[in-house]
Every structure is written in structure tokens, then in C-alpha cells.
Amino acid sequence: MAAHRYGLSLVFILILSSLARPSSCDTLEKANDNTEEKQSVSDTPREVNSDGSIAAEDLIERQWQSTDVEADRGDGTKNSESFTAAAAARDEFQEELVIRPLHSGDIYASFQFRTLWDIDFLQERQKVSHYRLFPKSLGQVLSKFSVRELHISFTQGFWRTMQWGQPFIPSPPGAELWVWFHDTVSDVDGNWKELTNVLSGIFCASLNFIDLTNTVQPSASFKPLGLGNATDHRFLRYATLPREIVCTENLTPWKKLLPCGSKAGLAVLLKSEKLFHSSFHSQAVHIRPVCQDEQCASKAWELRQTLNVVFDLYTSGQGKKEWSLFKMFSRTLTEACPLATSSKVYVDITDNPEGELFELSPATPLLSQAVVLGDRRTYSVFDLTRAETFGQLRSLNLLLRWKGNSGDMLRPLLHAERYVAGFGLQTGEIHTVIYNNHPYRAFPVLLMDSVPWYLQLYIHTLTVTSKSRDNKPSYIHYQPAKDRHRPHLLEMLIQLPPHSMTEVTVQFERALLKWTEYTPDPNHGFYVGSSVVSALVPSMVAMNTNFTQDQPLFSSFVPVKEESSYFVRVYTEPLLVNLPTPDFSMPYNVICLTCTVVAVGYGSFYNLLTRTFQVDEPSLPLAKRLANLIRRIRGVPMLT
Amino acid sequence: MGLLSDPNRRKALTSLLTRLNTPICIVCYLAAIVWFMGLAFEPFTLRTYMSENAMGSTMVEERFSSGERALSLAKEFNAHKKKAGGMPVEWLVKSMQARGLEVFTQSFSRKLPFPDENKERYMVRGTNVYGILRAPRAPRTEALVITAPCSPGNSNNQAVGLLLALAEYFRNQVYWAKDIIFLVNEHDLIGMQAWLEGYHHTNITGMEYSPLQGRAGSIQAALSLELSSDVITSLDLVLEGLNGQLPNLDLANLLYAFCQKLGVLCTIQGKLQRNDWDTAEGYTHAAQTMVLMVLKQACGRSWGDHGLFLRYHIEAASIRGINSFRHYKMDATTIGRLLEGMTRKLNNLLERLHQSYFFYLLPSLSRFVSIGYYMPAFGLLAVILLLRALDLWVHLGTPALTAVDGVTEAEQPSSPGVLTVLTPVVISHLTGVALYLLPVHLQEMAVEHFPVSETEAVVLTAIAIYTAGLALPHNTQRLLSGEGTEQGWKVLKLTALLYLAVLLGCTALINFSLGFILAVTLVPITASITPHMPKSLCALAMVLLSPAFTILYCVFIYQELIEVPVSLGEGWMLFLSVISQGILDHTLYGSLVYPLLALFIYPCWLMFWNILFWN
């Protein structure tokens, strides 16, 4: 039996490690020769290299290769490389902004800042005191708490998958923190507690509210994204704070981590009054170990700071569907960050080949293609390290003029939502609905649910149904809650049939809290964090059957493995659940009433039940007693 | 507390209570009526005030200005409605999408247990259309609902037009913290019920509906809008919901505050507030308003689309535009501003509305009577039942000198057996069950044999069973013990009195109005009934004070108060339709008044009827 279980878990671990690795490696053994580009979570756009391998698109779009801009750029890179090599520290900084006009007419702007630090303090065990580009505050945290990987995100708003498609880096509403500790750590919980407090100080957020009651150790959903093959989830901690509100006080410390601050480069665009005047705002910090070079002889630390924001064209456009960098950020770009080796702005023009949807100015001859989230996208590239990008005015102000109408809802291949069913304050039911909109491919997803202890899950009522038939999960990991100590953790591997809706339901009972455990606003309700759906989704590129039209036949019979599926994580909305709440406004009345009831009701009842009643002789009046005294002396019968 | 444990003092107390029982009871009854009528007297009531901090001092500015747009949308909607011969689903979906909402539809169907003759429907099939305005940077956890029913004919077009214009305006604002759901529901309450059940994924009434695709978290508050003319003279606020539930008083305060701010006349129960409380007319006006509210609340039906929200702990109210022949008129812009202001204040809420009262009566919009003030009126009536029960208890106890109870007394030869009491109780309740079940189930048979429609069949069956209950064999104790004893009826009456007291007490806690109306009619006759009274006279009095006649009186009083007096014949027809509506409300929306009357109050009344014919 044990052997069987071991075998099963081994198979499972294999599946999961491939799941969690979004990069394009074929097997686990090959993981080490990943280039840095391939490791990116979301497959950031890759430049078409003039000296690159025979990528299919190179053959078709011949004119792109012949631009001398490319050759120039290659030189520039070499130059900067030699420059960095000359410097003693081999730190590197890249910045990048992707602007994607969304299907709904909104604008999605995604910043990524990547700092590489060629040092491995875990191995060298030496005191690192010299920091160049890497922020010292984070470096100290990494070494003090033996952190192997750290991911933290602050999000205000909910990513609308049905309107906006998939984000480059998904994140749940509120704050999310997950950390892999090094396997030499003995007291993981202690380190975690301290780490959350330190991070809370660094980011000015309420991360100190993370404690054991909202921390879980997912067994499968969150695998390390960097080097190393850790599978022992004892060293993983995951927590979300769905109620966390993100605002400027979180943005400022985040900006301070950048080498150029907000003084130069793309970061000048990060003006808080504009960033928080949007439909969605998410900022994150991801730290992980990566390979230093192609041989992967030594490790380096990668700090990736991302900021995603969606601007609402409708609200602030006053009817005019026109966008520019200045309108979005109230700044224009004038220079790259001097410390950056590369600084680029990408604009997604895939849906706009003939310019019928929108008009982009200034036009750029530089184009780039990349497979992002299973879809081949085309980008216009603006290289800020080159002077001609800024033109005569010495500033770059991208202008986007919409022509088309905003479209209908999208049908993303994977989509999930969640709600509480039922009414009343005793029981309820959590419904999680997962859609697979792929026309013919079934694929497995990992669903992770972390529910606070005050919702007492009835796990025997757990049902998974797809197409009105029972769908048995192939793996269930359930850790029941302990009151006031630990939340519920439910992880399931569910196979989603093609073109289907899968519904996961579980009933719960609402606990009655102690009166000190209620929040100051108990009638607002209590939050339950988002559930996480992780999956390898079949790629749109592989789904595309008529790609033979624009691709040579020899390249397209078997879809390339690295493009056949891509990793996606979908967060559902958090839940707001009302618990039975006493009326805190009248404790005085309650106390008075209870005391009266106890005193009157209980007192007299107790009296009646316990007293023994007997008829006693009524005592004689004083005159009669005196008379009796005299009568006794006289020997006459007494009076009664 | 030696009062009860001291035998002498206890004896003195009980003898006092038994000796003065009848006078005390009469005084209590009169005091209850006086107390109740005094509730409408202004110096005795409290002024309403905004309890919720988030809605109180924070001022909002109303800027809505597209009233004309709303009216043109209403015309367009009307044209499409006529073309489609019902709800113009496609047009609504398109126009909501054009305003930047996420639009979803829900189709539903419901077969009524019997045809509804008031609204002329039997097989109901319809579609709800709703659009969600997603608040920027909000995680879809909270929502507000604004609904406008799509009614047949020409009514309510303006409400839908205003809804769309508001959606357009709201979409361009940045201050929303809660998602706003704009819902246009077909077939008024049935559509609403389908949508609410779909949203909460429950099925309590056997409705068939398609599941909802889009949701927006837990709904905090809802407003239902009914407008049928381009200009209005006043707004009427409707609060009474299913089973007499009321929304939090702060919602009424909110409307009142905005009506005052914008200079809109607003009414409750269709009655404008008067300022001359010290005159007789002023008092009568307030009393009429309050009694109307009591009557509406007592009947337990939902008086607007908002009523069904209350079950889900969502505070909701209906706002109805009235166009009468006053001079002063308001256009759609003003109403739009009023709704904008209310929605913005609700949007500011940090918690659910919970600060103010949930149990109240309103003699006018600016005055309210809280539960602490009106409950004594009912308490005085309930005390009568308890006093009579105590009296009987003492009378039963005196000869045997032991605690007497109908159930524990079985071994004493002089006392009646359990069966003597149990049999009438069981028979009465079986009649109640028949009254509850048979009318709907026997309609087909009735239609076959009598020349009546289904609805008439149901109502007439109900009345027939009700009347038949009076003629049931009431002297079963004769078969068991030969002759009805004095002890027998006393025990039965004691049981019935306590039973009635518990029933009315529970009812009044949930729905004060219903409890009070039943108590006012049932208490005098039940308290005084004995087998030794003149049979025919008493029987007549009992029948005239039975639950069915109470409904009849309520119909007449209601018609009188809304200033549409009816003749006897019309009143009778109304009475019949009230019964059919009551049964329909129970099956369609889960109103509990019909089962309460049929399964509990009527059997309890039958037990007293039984006592009258005890021999």
C-alpha cells in the first residue's frame, strides 16, 4: 500500500513540476541549461535575433531582418556587455513596458524591471556588504531568512479575464505572499513570521496580519519558479490577505527598490495619481535564483519588479477614444535609465495588422514577435537607448487613436469564478466554476482553496461535476482546519473535459466567533481568499489549424513542443461572507436583560425546586404567651 | 422573591387575580387598543434620524442631467417592447452593452398552481436582463442592485429609460466602490424571484430558471424603481416585504433626506405628511397611515419588487412615481438625481445597513414607532390569555388541591383523560391540514363537477372546507367518557388558551401587525367562551370574529383607508381574490401567512368552537 502511494506521489510530482515550470524545457534534467529568457514566467517578448536560430517567422518576414536597425542593436548589446564585463560587479538591469490595447477598448500597461545580481550568498556563506544595483533592504532579507524564492504581490481590483484576456503575471485581489525557504532552515514558521513582519515594514503593508491562521503549505500548486528542484512543501509558505488595500504608500517603497528610482527611465511614468486612477492596479516583486550564464555554472539572483495597470478608456476619455503616454501617465519618456542595459517599450499590434482598429504614432520600423500565453503576438518596439526614438522633440509620447468599437466578451480558454450560494446565517455553499473553452482538448487543472477556519467545511459534501456528470478528481489533498490555528487547505487535480463547465461545490457552516474575535466592522463580512487554478493550457498557436497559410509546410506538421501548451494561473474573486454577528451596539441592554431574567426566573424557580415547605405553628401573640405562662404556673390548660 | 414560595401570599395573589380576573381582562383589552391608537399621536413617537455614519454626514453632489435622454430611451424601449410583444431582450442587451456594462440574461419559466386572474397568467415564461457595472479597483465582493420591472402595456417604460440613462451616467464616474447591477425583470415578482434564486443558487419555490453567468459578490442594498409618466408629482416609498419583513429604517431615512434636499414631495402609503398633529384631522391622518401600514404588513405579501430581497438579508425598497393633479411637477432629471444621490450614499457604506431599526411602524415618513413602543399593545392582549389560563388553572386546582394538568391527571377518576382533550385537538388540526392541502389539489375535480374556473374552484373549496370545519362532530368526548364533564372543557380551554398565546406571541415577534390584528379579533371571544352561554348568540359572535371574517374586515378597512370604498358585493369579490392571492403568494414566493392561518390559527379557533358546543 505504501509503495503504491509512493509511486502515485512520484508520478504526481513529475506532473506538477512540469506544470509549475512555465518555461519551454522538455524534461526536468534539461532544466539547468535554461537560458534566462526561457525562464520568464510569462515568456516575455523575445527580440528577433538577426543571428538567431531558424525561427519560422524569420523566414516569412524577411524584410525585418534586413533592417540595419537590428544590426545596430546587436552592436549596442555587445557594447553594453563589454561595459558590464569591465566593471567588477556583473550586475545588470533591464526595463521594459508592454502596452496592449485590450479587446474591450481598455489599455493594459505592464512594466517589468529586472535586476540581476551575480552572487550566491547561500553557497558562499560570506557576509555580503557591497550592493550595487540590487536593493540592499531585500538582499539583507534574503540572506537573513535563508529565502530561496520570494513572490509578493499587491493588487487593487480584479482582473477581468472575460474582457481583458490573460494577464502577463496574474495576481489575486489584495496581497499575496509565497516564499520558498532554503532547506537548511530548521524553524520555518519562525522565519516566516519574522519575514512577514520585516516585509510589512519594507512595503508599508499589513503583511504582519499574516499568521498561522491564514498560512498554508500547498503541496502542488506553487512550485519554485527559479533554479532548484525543491518539492518538499515543508519549506513553502503561502498566504493571502484579500482585504489589503493597495495605495500610494505601497507604491513609493516599491519604486525605491529600482536602481534609478523614479528619476529616469520608464519609472518616471509611475505617477501615483494616475496609476490609481485606473480599473486595475497590481504591483509585485519576484525574487528567484537563476543561471548566470548558459553553462549554468553559478547562480545569480534575479529581482523582477512588475507593475500592471489597466486604464479605463471609457471613464477618463470623455467619449474620445484616444490615448497617449501623456494622457495615461501625465509624463512622456525622455531617456532610458542610464544604469539599464536595455530599455524598451513594446506595443501590441497583433490585432491591428492593417491599422483598422487603432492608429499608432510615431510609427516604428522595429517589429518583434513572441509567443505569449500560447498566442503569437506582434509588437512594435521602441528602444529608449537610441536617440532617434525620441525624435525632434527629445521626448517620446506614444499616441493611440481608436477606430473600432469595443468588442463582445472574450472566451478565454480557461476561466474560473466563485460565489457563495444560499441564504441565512447558518450554512452556505461555496461554488467554484471552472470553464474549459477549448473546443476539443481536455486538460487537467490544479485547484487550490484556502478557507479560513470560521467557515467549517463539510468535506463530505464536496462534489465535482462536469457536464452534469460526476468528475472524480485524480488527486485530493485536504488538510482540515483547526479552530483558531490553521485554515482549511484543499487541493485537487481535476480533468476538465473539452468545452465544458466544471462546478466544485462544498457546503460549510458559519462558526460563532468569540466576541473579541470580531473585526471592528463585523457587519461588513469576512473575506475568504481567492482560489487558485493552475493549469497547462493547450496553446492557441497549436490550436490554429490554418497556420499552413503563412508558414512553410515543413515547419508546421508537428507543432513545436514548447508552444503546444503554456502555464496559466487563474485567480477567482475573493468571497465576502457574513457570519452571525451579535448586536454590539446594545451590550448594556443585553446585560440588563440577562441579569433580570436570571435573577427573577432562575431565582424563584430554584427556590421552588429546592425549598422544603412545611406548615409551621403560627407563633402566639405576646399577650397569649404571657397568659399561658401564668396558666402553667396555675396548672390550668393552656390557651392555643 | 418570597412571593411565590410563601403559600399564604401566593394564595392571596391568586385569589386577587381570580376575583378581579374579568375586570382586569377588560381593562387590558381597552388599554391595548388605546395604546395602539396612541402610537400614531405625534408627541408619543420619535423623529427619524440617520443612524448610519457612512450615510449621514458625508455629502454627495448630484450631477445627473440626462433626464431628457432617459425619456427618449423610454420611448425607444416602448417601441421595441411593442414590436417584440413583451420584453425586448435583444435591444436591452445591446443598449446595456453600448453603455459599457457586462450584460447577461436569465430565462425562467413557472407554472402557477392555478391561473392568477388578477394578472391573467398561468404559464409564465420570461427573461431577465441585467448588466453589471464593474467598479474600478474593487474585487467583486460587494454590489448594489437597481431594478425596474418590465411591465406589460405602457407602464414602467420611464423606469427602464431612467435605469439605462443612469447606467450611462454611472459608467463615466470613478467613485464606485461596489459593483452596480442594473436589472430589468420580466413578470414582476416571478422574474425577481427567479433572478434572486439564480443569484443565490437556491431553489425554494420550484422555479425553473437558467443559471446566472455573471455575479458581483454579496448584494448590500437594492432599489426598485416604478415610473409610468414623464413627470411626477410625488414619490411613494414602499417598504413592506414578504412575510411582513421591513428593510432597515435607514433606507427610508435616506430617501426622505434626499427628498427634502431636492424638494421632492414624498409619501408613504400614498399619504402626504401633515404638520398639524394637534388637530383631530392631523391625528386621524397619521393614524390612517399607520393602520394602512399595519394592514399591508399583516397580509405578508411583497408590495413591490423589493420585498423578495429581504429574505436574502438585502435591504431593499421600492420607489414609485405618482402623477396626480397637483401643480408642482418634477421631471426625470430630478428623480435621476435623487437615485444618484441614494446610490452614491449606499456606495459609501462600509458595512451592511444595520445601525437603525428593523422593526418599526411609520405614522409618517419623519416619525417612527419602534418595537419597544408598539410591543406593549400586543403584550396587553397576550396578558389576557394568560390571565384567563391562570384563572382556569386555579379553578381546576382548587378541588383536588394538587397541581392539575390535563395530561398528568389521567389517574384521577374525576379528571378527564388525555383522549378527551387530544381528540378535539387532533380533529381540528386535521381540518387545518385539509384546508391547507385540498384547495389546490382538488381544483381539477372541482372544475369537472362544477361550472367554475380553476381560481374560483380553489377559493370556493377553501371556503367550503372552512365552513365544513364548523360542522364537524365536536362531541367526541361523549363516545369516550359518556358525557362532557365540567373538568373536560376547562382543560381543553386551558390548553387552547395557552396554545393561542404561544401562537400569537411567536407571530407578533416576526410580524407584529399580523399578530396584533389576530389578537384583537380572537382574544375577546376566546377569553370569554364557555359552554354555558347562549349557544346561537355566541356561535354568531364567534363566527363573526373568526379568522376568515377578520380578513373580510381588513379588506373593507383597507379599501376605506385608501379612499376607494367598495360596496358589499365588490368587497366580497375582493375577499375572494385576496384568498387566491394569499395561496399564490405562498406557492410562488414562500409567504407564510396562508399556512399559518390554515395550519395553526384556524385549528386553534376550532378548539374554542368545540368548547362552545361542549356538553
Side-chain angles (χ1 to χ4, degrees), chain B residues 293-324:
Chain B
M293 178 161 186
V294 167
L295 287 174
K296 277 183 166 183
Q297 196 190 5
C299 82
R301 66 181 310 194
S302 168
W303 287 83
D305 281 355
H306 71 282
L308 301 175
F309 280 93
L310 298 170
R311 184 205 298 272
Y312 301 91
H313 193 13
I314 300 166
E315 307 312 318
S318 287
I319 300 171
R320 208 165 272 166
I322 309 275
N323 191 13
S324 62

Side-chain angles (χ1 to χ4, degrees), chain A residues 332-535:
Chain A
T332 54
L333 288 170
T334 51
E335 54 170 345
C337 171
L339 298 170
T341 49
S342 101
S343 174
K344 291 198 182 78
V345 177
Y346 295 84
V347 181
D348 192 332
I349 52 163
T350 318
D351 306 324
N352 192 32
E354 260 81 58
E356 72 270 14
L357 201 61
F358 55 83
E359 193 181 303
L360 181 70
S361 68
T364 172
L366 210 60
L367 292 176
S368 145
Q369 274 208 339
V371 176
V372 187
L373 298 169
D375 198 5
R376 189 172 289 120
R377 318 289 302 182
T378 315
Y379 295 90
S380 285
V381 187
F382 298 87
D383 191 346
L384 301 187
T385 51
R386 295 168 49 82
E388 50 272 39
T389 314
F390 299 107
Q392 302 276 310
L393 295 168
R394 315 284 303 148
S395 81
L396 176 65
N397 184 19
L398 288 173
L399 197 69
L400 209 92
R401 215 170 272 118
W402 274 93
K403 293 178 184 167
N405 292 325
S406 54
D408 298 339
M409 298 250 209
L410 291 173
R411 288 175 63 79
L413 289 185
L414 177 66
H415 171 61
E417 58 191 30
R418 193 154 71 134
Y419 59 93
V420 180
F423 59 93
L425 286 177
Q426 198 193 353
T427 55
E429 197 169 34
I430 296 179
H431 284 242
T432 312
V433 188
I434 311 170
Y435 297 90
N436 172 6
N437 287 328
H438 199 286
Y440 56 87
R441 282 272 295 273
F443 57 86
V445 296
L446 252 174
L447 174 72
M448 192 201 92
D449 248 326
S450 161
V451 180
W453 63 266
Y454 40 76
L455 300 189
Q456 295 158 349
L457 291 187
Y458 292 151
I459 205 69
H460 71 277
T461 61
L462 177 76
T463 57
V464 185
T465 40
S466 344
K467 292 185 168 172
S468 65
R469 240 178 298 141
D470 203 28
N471 184 349
K472 202 167 179 296
S474 44
Y475 166 79
I476 294 186
H477 171 73
Y478 175 63
Q479 191 181 33
K482 276 186 198 155
D483 278 6
R484 295 174 181 86
H485 287 295
R486 180 172 91 179
H488 300 267
L489 171 68
L490 180 62
E491 279 185 288
M492 284 185 287
L493 187 68
I494 307 167
Q495 182 78 11
L496 302 185
H499 199 72
S500 69
M501 185 190 96
T502 304
E503 196 163 19
V504 181
T505 65
V506 61
Q507 289 177 9
F508 64 85
E509 190 178 304
R510 298 161 208 245
L512 192 62
L513 301 187
K514 290 179 185 168
W515 70 286
T516 48
E517 285 169 345
Y518 286 95
T519 51
D521 53 350
N523 284 291
H524 178 67
F526 290 76
Y527 282 86
V528 178
S530 311
S531 51
V532 189
V533 180
S534 325

Side-chain angles (χ1 to χ4, degrees), chain A residues 37-190:
Chain A
E37 279 170 357
K38 282 181 176 178
Q39 280 171 0
S40 61
V41 185
S42 56
D43 279 348
T44 44
R46 245 181 308 148
E47 199 88 8
V48 181
N49 290 326
S50 51
D51 54 344
S53 54
I54 324 161
E57 55 264 31
D58 290 7
L59 292 172
I60 322 147
E61 306 289 347
R62 190 176 286 271
Q63 77 272 15
W64 293 1
Q65 287 184 1
S66 57
T67 51
D68 46 9
V69 181
E70 278 299 312
D72 245 30
R73 200 204 80 70
D75 288 349
T77 328
K78 269 170 203 151
N79 284 342
S80 66
E81 267 166 16
S82 59
F83 170 72
T84 42
R90 290 154 297 170
D91 291 10
E92 203 180 302
F93 176 66
Q94 293 170 306
E95 54 181 10
E96 183 180 294
L97 163 65
V98 185
I99 295 176
R100 190 209 274 178
L102 292 171
H103 193 67
S104 61
D106 300 326
I107 297 266
Y108 174 32
S110 171
F111 292 87
Q112 289 216 16
F113 302 94
R114 179 166 178 258
T115 313
L116 270 182
W117 188 21
D118 281 3
I119 196 156
D120 193 355
F121 38 59
L122 288 178
Q123 272 183 4
E124 292 169 24
R125 280 282 157 216
Q126 62 191 18
K127 205 166 161 66
V128 184
S129 56
H130 181 64
Y131 290 86
R132 199 169 152 268
L133 295 180
F134 201 89
K136 189 175 177 184
S137 53
L138 284 182
Q140 284 176 331
V141 167
L142 291 185
S143 58
K144 172 145 197 274
F145 298 107
S146 313
V147 173
R148 175 197 282 275
E149 221 173 85
L150 184 147
H151 302 267
I152 182 166
S153 75
F154 299 98
T155 307
Q156 186 72 21
F158 183 74
W159 184 269
R160 305 171 196 169
T161 321
M162 296 292 274
Q163 285 176 314
W164 300 339
Q166 296 289 353
F168 294 129
I169 297 181
S171 57
E176 183 197 39
L177 174 65
W178 56 286
V179 174
W180 276 94
F181 289 96
H182 211 265
D183 48 15
T184 51
V185 177
S186 53
D187 179 17
V188 181
D189 282 332

Side-chain angles (χ1 to χ4, degrees), chain A residues 152-341:
Chain A
I152 182 166
S153 75
F154 299 98
T155 307
Q156 186 72 21
F158 183 74
W159 184 269
R160 305 171 196 169
T161 321
M162 296 292 274
Q163 285 176 314
W164 300 339
Q166 296 289 353
F168 294 129
I169 297 181
S171 57
E176 183 197 39
L177 174 65
W178 56 286
V179 174
W180 276 94
F181 289 96
H182 211 265
D183 48 15
T184 51
V185 177
S186 53
D187 179 17
V188 181
D189 282 332
N191 268 17
W192 169 247
K193 181 80 205 150
E194 261 185 79
L195 176 68
T196 54
N197 279 294
V198 169
L199 289 176
S200 150
I202 291 179
F203 291 103
C204 288
S206 338
L207 295 175
N208 51 327
F209 284 109
I210 293 178
D211 53 13
L212 292 181
T213 59
N214 51 19
T215 302
V216 288
Q217 303 169 33
S219 67
S221 293
F222 288 88
K223 289 290 153 196
L225 296 176
L227 281 180
N229 239 336
T231 45
D232 190 352
H233 62 268
R234 276 187 301 133
F235 298 102
L236 169 66
R237 290 294 180 274
Y238 174 87
T240 53
L241 294 174
R243 225 193 149 160
E244 181 73 13
I245 289 168
V246 186
C247 204
T248 35
E249 79 263 24
N250 307 108
L251 182 68
T252 313
W254 183 90
K255 277 198 289 196
K256 279 189 182 157
L257 300 177
L258 295 170
C260 290
S262 49
K263 302 282 190 299
L266 290 173
V268 293
L269 300 178
L270 303 174
K271 292 251 297 183
S272 51
E273 74 262 36
K274 284 292 181 184
L275 288 184
F276 291 102
H277 196 107
S278 57
S279 297
F280 175 83
H281 171 96
S282 168
Q283 60 188 65
V285 169
H286 302 276
I287 302 173
R288 59 180 177 179
V290 291
C291 288
Q292 210 167 39
D293 44 28
E294 287 188 14
Q295 280 77 43
C296 211
S298 59
K299 279 198 272 183
W301 284 94
E302 184 201 63
L303 163 68
R304 208 182 265 260
Q305 285 178 260
T306 64
L307 189 140
N308 296 299
V309 59
V310 177
F311 291 101
D312 188 351
L313 199 71
Y314 211 100
T315 312
S316 7
Q318 273 97 37
K320 263 196 205 162
K321 293 193 162 185
E322 207 176 274
W323 272 107
S324 62
L325 278 189
F326 188 77
K327 268 196 179 167
M328 282 195 274
F329 303 104
S330 73
R331 290 283 172 91
T332 54
L333 288 170
T334 51
E335 54 170 345
C337 171
L339 298 170
T341 49

Side-chain angles (χ1 to χ4, degrees), chain B residues 80-141:
Chain B
H80 281 92
K81 190 161 87 172
K82 281 207 179 112
K83 206 168 32 168
M87 181 121 146
V89 176
E90 273 175 38
W91 180 81
L92 270 174
V93 168
K94 265 202 200 115
S95 53
M96 279 189 181
Q97 262 168 356
R99 278 159 188 84
L101 307 184
E102 277 181 36
V103 189
F104 306 93
T105 57
Q106 181 206 27
S107 55
F108 59 90
S109 69
R110 181 80 165 94
K111 185 173 171 256
L112 271 54
F114 55 90
D116 183 352
E117 292 193 340
N118 284 19
K119 292 191 171 143
E120 289 172 354
R121 56 189 181 189
Y122 182 46
M123 294 285 295
V124 179
R125 205 173 283 283
T127 315
N128 294 324
V129 179
Y130 65 104
I132 306 180
L133 165 58
R134 297 289 182 195
R137 296 186 312 286
R140 293 193 181 179
T141 46

